[in-house]
């Protein structure tokens, strides 16, 4: 099939490459000239395992191309919209500027029978508003809402083998026909037995924000338990292991630490609260306010812990920060807890040296006042305290004996609960972590 993908960020670039990989002819469109240039050469403009290989392969095959020109979508029959919906400045609500601009621009190129597929995370009600614009411009085109659940770091796998497909369709024959077109697009996934849920627009839009709200709640739940553990001398990791054995609860997403960040979870729960307010059901989501504040409190607590192990103040101290990305296997620093903690410590007078295997250049652009080092060893040289904030494999595998030779004081604050306290203490370190003693 001939497919266009509008928006070539973390979502769109991966989607375009994966659609080519399953045999479609794909054109990716983005307004960013540098991004299109890189993608056209088969280079990923961000770090995502497996994506560079896939891009090179598919661009070389001739099935995948990228352009800045929206007119290039002519000839494609299915148009995916995967542009960003960031948080508005100074408000909780989502900024729909990019979605609105993409749809306004693409509708001029639609032909009868075309299907526009929304993938961006949007406030409930957006799809029906956009559907009116689509059918006004081309009465024989149909809008479908097909939310995307990919995780950064696993984006290729999640796109090719998602847990489920969700179609939000309009009622009637036009909706049925559009659903059949999407079945054809996803034929290999459907043949694999991936569950498909067919719903109306509003349900499809809600599935995405409900899933992210649930995940955020799960993380903040265990982080609230961490606060209880800190007050009682209990161990949140053991607590998570024990409750996680209950299949109804499950151990996944129960890792206590400095909390969630990234381009999705924080802004999605805020946009969801804002939308609920507009709909007059803000009470239904008031718990998300608590989820958000538990999450933000963990960042402050992290700085408190660093201060505690340094004897009450970090002013003038040298702090090594392991990790800048919001999670491992990503170079994404949007709402990164690691950088939030690093800048708080910087503002409290510490000399903060940050390292990360992939995210340093993004971090340096956003926070030029911080210092950066290429390796954990360089960051930790003469450090008074080491703070682990993103659980990259190479930090989890650090040898406490060898690492102890580099620092000025053997003080480790583990913000992700991934190190073995006994091993670090046996090597002479003062080890502290969130939610355990
Ligand atoms: C998330 C959703 O998982 C995905 O389905 C959706 O499409 C987009 O948002 P992503 O932002 O890539 O994906 O990251 P995810 O792996 O969900 O992690 C989110 C944050 O939670 C990270 O900062 C991570 O460090 C944190 N986290 C995760 C915890 O603090 N504890 C956990 O147990 C799990």
């Amino acid at each position: 099939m001939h497919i266009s993908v509008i928006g070539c960020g973390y979502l769109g670039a991966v989607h375009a490459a994966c659609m080519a990989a399953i045999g479609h002819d794909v054109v990716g469109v983005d307004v960013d000239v540098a991004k299109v240039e890189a993608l056209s050469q088969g280079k990923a403009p961000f770090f995502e395992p497996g994506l560079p290989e896939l891009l090179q392969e598919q661009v070389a095959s001739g099935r995948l191309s990228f352009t800045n020109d929206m007119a290039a979508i002519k000839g494609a029959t299915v148009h995916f919209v995967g542009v960003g919906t960031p948080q508005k400045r100074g408000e909780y609500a989502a900024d729909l500027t990019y979605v609105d601009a993409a749809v306004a621009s693409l509708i001029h190129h639609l032909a009868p029978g075309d299907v526009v597929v929304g993938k961006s995370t949007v406030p409930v009600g957006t799809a029906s508003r956009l559907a009116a614009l689509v059918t006004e411009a081309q009465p024989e085109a149909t809008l479908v809402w097909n939310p995307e659940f990919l995780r950064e770091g696993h984006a290729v796998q999640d796109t090719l083998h998602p847990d489920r497909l969700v179609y939000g369709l309009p009622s009637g024959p036009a909706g049925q026909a559009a659903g059949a077109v999407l079945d054809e697009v996803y034929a290999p996934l459907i043949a694999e037995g991936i569950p498909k849920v067919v719903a109306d627009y509003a349900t499809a839009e809600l599935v995405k924000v409900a899933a992210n709200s649930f995940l955020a709640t799960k993380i903040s739940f265990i982080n609230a338990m961490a606060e209880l553990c800190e007050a009682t001398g209990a161990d949140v990791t053991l607590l998570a292991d024990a409750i996680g054995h209950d299949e109804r609860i499950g151990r996944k997403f129960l890792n206590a630490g400095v909390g969630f960040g990234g381009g999705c979870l924080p802004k999605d729960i805020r946009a969801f609260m804002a939308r609920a307010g507009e709909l007059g059901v803000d009470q239904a989501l008031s718990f998300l306010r608590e989820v958000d504040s538990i999450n933000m409190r963990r960042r402050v607590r992290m700085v408190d812990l660093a201060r505690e192990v340094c004897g009450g103040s970090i002013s003038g101290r040298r702090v090594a920060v392991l990790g800048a990305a919001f999670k491992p296997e990503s170079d994404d620093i949007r709402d990164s807890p690691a950088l939030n903690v690093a800048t708080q410590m910087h503002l409290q007078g510490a000399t903060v040296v940050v390292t990360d295997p992939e995210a340093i250049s993004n971090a340096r652009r956003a926070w030029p006042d911080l210092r950066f080092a290429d390796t954990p060893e360089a960051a930790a040289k003469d450090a008074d305290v080491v703070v682990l904030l993103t659980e990259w494999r190479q930090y989890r595998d650090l040898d406490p004996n060898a690492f102890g030779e580099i620092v000025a004081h053997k003080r480790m604050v583990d913000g992700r609960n991934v190190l073995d306290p006994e091993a670090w203490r046996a090597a002479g370190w003062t080890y502290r972590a969130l939610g355990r003693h």
Side-chain angles (χ1 to χ4, degrees), residues 287-357:
F287 73 96
L288 287 179
R289 206 169 278 278
E290 205 50 50
V291 165
D292 200 4
S293 54
I294 292 167
N295 193 51
M296 300 312 282
R297 272 208 301 273
R298 293 285 78 191
R299 302 178 182 188
V300 177
R301 175 69 187 135
M302 197 63 214
V303 179
D304 290 346
L305 259 188
R307 254 202 327 264
E308 265 173 56
V309 299
C310 287
S313 170
I314 47 171
S315 180
R317 303 300 182 106
R318 203 176 166 87
V319 183
V321 168
L322 306 185
F326 84 103
K327 68 169 191 181
E329 304 302 323
S330 173
D331 65 355
D332 195 347
I333 56 152
R334 287 176 294 172
D335 206 343
S336 168
L339 286 173
N340 182 301
V341 169
T343 48
Q344 282 186 63
M345 294 190 296
H346 169 74
L347 290 173
Q348 291 183 18
T351 301
V352 181
V353 188
V354 182
T355 187
D356 190 285

Side-chain angles (χ1 to χ4, degrees), residues 34 222 248 355:
I222 200 64
R248 294 168 303 174
T355 187

Side-chain angles (χ1 to χ4, degrees), residues 121 148-154 158 164 208 211-212 215-216 218-220 222-223 251-266 268 295 299 325-328 330 332 334-337 389-391 415-416:
T121 302
E148 179 56 58
F149 303 96
L150 65 79
R151 297 160 297 166
E152 287 175 26
H154 306 269
D158 285 354
R164 74 299 215 183
K208 170 69 191 212
N212 277 352
L215 295 172
K218 206 171 172 191
I219 299 167
S220 277
I222 200 64
N223 282 332
R251 181 63 177 82
K252 288 183 185 161
F253 267 70
L254 279 185
N255 295 324
V258 73
F260 60 82
C264 291
L265 259 45
D268 284 357
N295 193 51
R299 302 178 182 188
F326 84 103
K327 68 169 191 181
S330 173
D332 195 347
R334 287 176 294 172
D335 206 343
S336 168
L389 293 170
T390 313
E391 69 278 31
R416 292 290 181 180

Side-chain angles (χ1 to χ4, degrees), residues 387-422:
V387 183
L388 191 159
L389 293 170
T390 313
E391 69 278 31
W392 286 94
R393 162 67 52 199
Q394 44 271 63
Y395 306 156
R396 303 163 68 150
D397 290 346
L398 281 171
D399 172 1
N401 289 305
F403 207 55
E405 302 288 315
I406 297 163
V407 295
H409 292 99
K410 294 185 193 177
R411 299 173 182 135
M412 171 60 81
V413 187
D414 180 0
R416 292 290 181 180
N417 280 306
V418 288
L419 301 177
D420 176 0
E422 278 178 29

